[in-house]
Amino acid sequence: MFSPSRNAAEGFSAQSNLFQITKSSVVTEDFRVINVSKSLFPINYEQLNSWRLKMMYNTDSSVTNDIVIQLSSTACWNASFLDQSDDAHFKTNPKIPGIDLNSVRTLFEVLSKPAFSGLLEQATKSFESLLIPQLPRSPPDVEAMRIYLILSEYPALQDSKNYIRLTIPLAMAILRLDANPSKVLDNWWCFMDDSFFTRMVDMYKSIVVFMLTGGKTVLVPVFYDNYFLATLRLLEKLHKVNLKANHVEYSRFYIPDITSLVDIQEDYLKWFLSKADIKMGSSPSEQNDFPSVNLCAFPFILNAQAKTTMLQTDAELQMQMAVSGANLHNVFMLLTLEPHLARNPYLVLHVRRNHLVSDTLRELTMYSDVDLKKPLKVIFDGEEAVDAGGVTKEFFLLLLKELLDPVYGMFTHYTDSNLLWFSDKCFVEQNWFHLIGIICGLAIYNSTVVDLHFPLALYKKLLDVPPTLEDFKELSPTEARSLQQLLDYEGGDVEETFLLNFSITRENYGMTEIKELVPGGESIAVDKNNRF
């Protein structure tokens, strides 16, 4: 049975023996007394100033070593900028980092002053050689994740001379994170202020340009590829966060310099062939002229000009493959003595000018999706003109003009904006709308511009992005202004002032009809509460 008195006596006896052994040799350290030289302090202005003075007036290497230990300690940095407002640091979780980033910025501003230049250099060296390389894949807890936000505020990261030393290694450390801590960082980025996020995006965009211009002169090829890919993948991570958080416009990720620094056509071909696991037949010296990292794999950084080039290249490639496939099939048919089964390497449409729509519908139903990828040739019945491109352009112009004719009722033209929208009252079959889709696709595929005045809302719907009142303002400014006045009205007598219900009255070919916007809308008055 456990005896307190006996154990106490044995413990005292053991302590006495230990005291006798060490008394004549080395005095034991009393761990109840705080050893200031071995303590890790929060990093603040007072601490920075203390280090600065020690470095100025003390040449002892142990002093510098102590400073390096603390500057390279994630524990010191993580505990240094706690958000004191409403004890927010106690609420640290996957959505709340619990630190005050304004305090971080203020401290780094102090560190950037000329008086602290020596300490700034030491901090940069500590980050480069110790802190960043030691960042773990799986931090022990959520609070240990704060270092990724703190380091992102370090001003030296934005200096091009530190891209290779600090900025890209930090990106690599972030990308090394395991799935759960990586999600935590994504969540924190979602709740960061827009200025923080914008600075991160702009910084890594600048590195992409740096890598395309002078990056190869400072890195051996194997490191160049890894560093370049890490930069692009971090931008991709930021882009995915932005899709949820909407910190910046999608166009903020565009890098216009790419169109002048990279041959987009060449880059796309290499990306396409790499997906097919086909090597290009160029010499090693020619291959080194282009980055092995394919920018087309990261389309969010490409502007409209670059994407147009990419789509045109894809269309040309698909056409060549379709033609080659048809020619190969024809050779095989000749060898098997069945030439009647030969395939035309072109998509040929035979149409009559006075039956353009019906003939086009008939012709297109005869072809498969594979055939639609062949180069287009149009033959007008009774005409001998060879289609070298001009006939095709005329075909698209005449066909779309006829399809948009009000007599078919497929579209409604808005006079105020000169834009078109789909009509729910038309006199044609649904496959006519499908035809317009195919025609538009063929026109783009064959590098032909078609004049269709649709609002931005159409493209939002294609991307499954909900349209807003602003989109309606583009289509019908007058009606949209009326709706905006209804929303902005501050009085409580909305029902009496506007006398509206949830239905609209419209004219359809001389007939007036009432369309309810919601079930029973004609009997539901618009009031202050339901107008939204």
Side-chain angles (χ1 to χ4, degrees), residues 99 101 104-105 146 148-154 158 174 185 188-203 238 247-248:
I99 60 172
L101 282 180
V104 178
R105 292 162 190 156
R146 293 171 179 160
Y148 296 97
L149 299 183
I150 294 170
L151 286 176
S152 298
E153 291 287 347
Y154 192 49
Q158 300 180 52
I174 291 173
L185 187 58
W188 286 358
W189 280 348
C190 283
F191 293 100
M192 289 295 104
D193 58 71
D194 292 348
S195 62
F196 172 92
F197 194 85
T198 302
R199 188 166 56 255
M200 287 279 288
V201 172
D202 289 347
M203 182 168 64
L238 290 168
H247 284 301
V248 297

Side-chain angles (χ1 to χ4, degrees), residues 345-403:
Y346 293 93
L347 171 64
V348 182
L349 300 182
H350 294 266
V351 294
R352 296 169 293 177
R353 286 184 179 271
N354 55 344
H355 296 86
L356 199 55
V357 175
S358 59
D359 285 358
T360 303
L361 273 171
R362 184 199 67 239
E363 290 284 295
L364 289 177
T365 56
M366 296 168 52
Y367 293 106
S368 66
D369 292 343
V370 175
D371 292 321
L372 294 178
K373 292 186 176 182
K374 297 175 182 177
L376 178 63
K377 297 288 184 182
V378 177
I379 299 176
F380 283 108
D381 187 49
E383 300 180 19
E384 297 181 358
V386 177
D387 189 0
V391 177
T392 297
K393 292 179 180 179
E394 184 186 10
F395 163 75
F396 283 122
L397 178 66
L398 295 175
L399 180 61
L400 287 171
K401 182 179 179 181
E402 186 166 343
L403 286 170

Side-chain angles (χ1 to χ4, degrees), residues 245-476:
N246 294 314
H247 284 301
V248 297
E249 290 290 327
Y250 65 89
S251 57
R252 186 80 189 197
F253 285 86
Y254 289 171
I255 306 178
D257 292 339
I258 285 178
T259 54
S260 60
L261 296 173
V262 176
D263 186 333
I264 296 297
Q265 188 175 47
E266 179 84 14
D267 187 85
Y268 180 79
L269 287 172
K270 288 190 174 184
W271 174 73
F272 182 89
L273 294 174
S274 67
K275 289 180 65 179
D277 198 22
I278 301 172
K279 304 262 183 175
M280 290 192 69
S282 55
S283 66
S285 60
E286 289 175 330
Q287 289 179 359
N288 289 334
D289 290 337
F290 298 93
S292 59
V293 178
N294 300 118
L295 297 178
C296 289
F298 304 90
F300 58 88
I301 65 173
L302 304 177
N303 60 15
Q305 180 183 351
K307 287 175 180 173
T308 299
T309 303
M310 188 171 69
L311 288 172
Q312 289 173 343
T313 304
D314 179 74
E316 292 172 6
L317 188 61
Q318 298 273 5
M319 284 183 184
Q320 291 177 12
M321 292 174 65
V323 171
S324 298
N327 289 334
L328 184 62
H329 173 84
N330 293 341
V331 170
F332 182 73
M333 289 300 102
L334 287 173
L335 293 175
T336 57
L337 303 178
E338 295 185 79
H340 60 282
L341 296 177
R343 296 173 182 171
N344 196 323
Y346 293 93
L347 171 64
V348 182
L349 300 182
H350 294 266
V351 294
R352 296 169 293 177
R353 286 184 179 271
N354 55 344
H355 296 86
L356 199 55
V357 175
S358 59
D359 285 358
T360 303
L361 273 171
R362 184 199 67 239
E363 290 284 295
L364 289 177
T365 56
M366 296 168 52
Y367 293 106
S368 66
D369 292 343
V370 175
D371 292 321
L372 294 178
K373 292 186 176 182
K374 297 175 182 177
L376 178 63
K377 297 288 184 182
V378 177
I379 299 176
F380 283 108
D381 187 49
E383 300 180 19
E384 297 181 358
V386 177
D387 189 0
V391 177
T392 297
K393 292 179 180 179
E394 184 186 10
F395 163 75
F396 283 122
L397 178 66
L398 295 175
L399 180 61
L400 287 171
K401 182 179 179 181
E402 186 166 343
L403 286 170
L404 298 178
D405 193 314
V407 71
Y408 297 120
M410 296 177 68
F411 299 95
T412 300
H413 179 261
Y414 288 79
T415 308
D416 288 353
S417 60
N418 196 30
L419 295 174
L420 298 170
W421 193 249
F422 302 91
S423 173
D424 60 346
K425 297 289 184 182
C426 61
F427 308 107
V428 297
E429 298 179 5
Q430 289 296 314
N431 61 350
W432 281 45
F433 287 101
H434 182 65
L435 171 63
I436 288 184
I438 294 177
I439 292 300
C440 290
L442 283 175
I444 296 171
Y445 191 65
N446 288 272
S447 303
T448 302
V449 177
V450 292
D451 189 24
L452 290 175
H453 297 270
F454 288 115
L456 181 63
L458 172 62
Y459 305 99
K460 282 190 172 183
K461 291 180 75 67
L462 290 173
L463 294 170
D464 201 24
V465 176
T468 65
L469 181 57
E470 291 300 316
D471 296 312
F472 189 48
K473 288 179 181 178
E474 180 191 12
L475 179 64
S476 183

Side-chain angles (χ1 to χ4, degrees), residues 167-217:
T167 323
I168 301 178
L170 176 60
M172 290 177 163
I174 291 173
L175 295 170
R176 279 198 306 268
L177 287 170
D178 288 342
N180 287 334
S182 182
K183 289 178 182 177
V184 170
L185 187 58
D186 288 349
N187 288 337
W188 286 358
W189 280 348
C190 283
F191 293 100
M192 289 295 104
D193 58 71
D194 292 348
S195 62
F196 172 92
F197 194 85
T198 302
R199 188 166 56 255
M200 287 279 288
V201 172
D202 289 347
M203 182 168 64
Y204 283 98
K205 281 171 54 181
S206 298
I207 297 177
V208 171
V209 176
F210 168 80
M211 297 298 283
L212 290 172
T213 51
K216 285 194 172 182
T217 62

Side-chain angles (χ1 to χ4, degrees), residues 92-119:
T92 300
N93 60 52
K95 292 186 177 180
I96 301 176
I99 60 172
D100 180 5
L101 282 180
N102 287 325
S103 298
V104 178
R105 292 162 190 156
T106 301
L107 183 122
F108 282 148
E109 285 176 6
V110 171
L111 192 58
S112 300
K113 291 181 178 179
F116 292 85
S117 59
L119 190 58

Side-chain angles (χ1 to χ4, degrees), residues 482-489 491-504 515-518 520-532:
S482 299
L483 291 174
Q484 190 65 58
Q485 290 173 357
L486 173 63
L487 293 174
D488 295 339
Y489 186 72
D493 55 343
V494 172
E495 186 174 349
E496 295 78 8
T497 302
F498 290 91
L499 300 174
L500 294 173
N501 56 36
F502 285 91
S503 66
I504 57 173
K515 182 176 179 61
E516 293 185 332
L517 303 177
V518 296
E522 193 175 3
S523 59
I524 303 175
V526 177
D527 57 32
K528 183 178 181 180
N529 297 320
N530 65 16
R531 60 179 167 169
F532 298 102

